[in-house]
Amino acid sequence: YWDGGIISNTPVEAVFDDNPRRSGLVFAVHMWRPSGPDPDSIVRVLGRQKDLQYASRAKSHIARQKQIHKLRHIIAELSARLPEDMRT
């Protein structure tokens, strides 16, 4: 067993991978910062550790979805150029 928040605090991939795909608007609130100033005390080191440990990976999931979206459009464009009998 593990805390799912350690894997992904904002599991947006579950929404993005929904099948069938639907249009939608997703809001994600970042409670912990994935970037920030270097800590200058042990208390700030511990705080920064929590920031990094629990920071959302939503940004990387959104980048992945942009790539997939672009590839779907490229595939659709290429499919449209195929002769009718070769399309699936």
Side-chain angles (χ1 to χ4, degrees), residues 29-80:
V29 177
H30 298 277
M31 302 294 288
W32 292 275
R33 297 179 306 164
S35 60
D38 291 340
D40 57 4
S41 70
I42 192 66
V43 172
R44 289 194 176 138
V45 166
L46 296 173
R48 187 76 191 113
Q49 177 188 5
K50 291 263 189 240
D51 282 348
L52 294 173
Q53 184 177 1
Y54 295 112
S56 174
R57 295 184 333 178
K59 188 174 181 178
S60 64
H61 293 301
I62 291 168
R64 175 181 157 256
Q65 288 304 314
K66 283 181 181 179
Q67 287 177 319
I68 292 170
H69 183 75
K70 185 176 180 180
L71 287 173
R72 281 190 185 116
H73 281 280
I74 292 169
I75 290 168
E77 199 174 287
L78 291 173
S79 290

Side-chain angles (χ1 to χ4, degrees), residues 13-24 65 72:
E13 68 274 9
V15 175
F16 292 145
D17 292 340
D18 195 22
N19 196 2
R21 288 185 309 277
R22 300 181 186 112
S23 293
Q65 288 304 314
R72 281 190 185 116

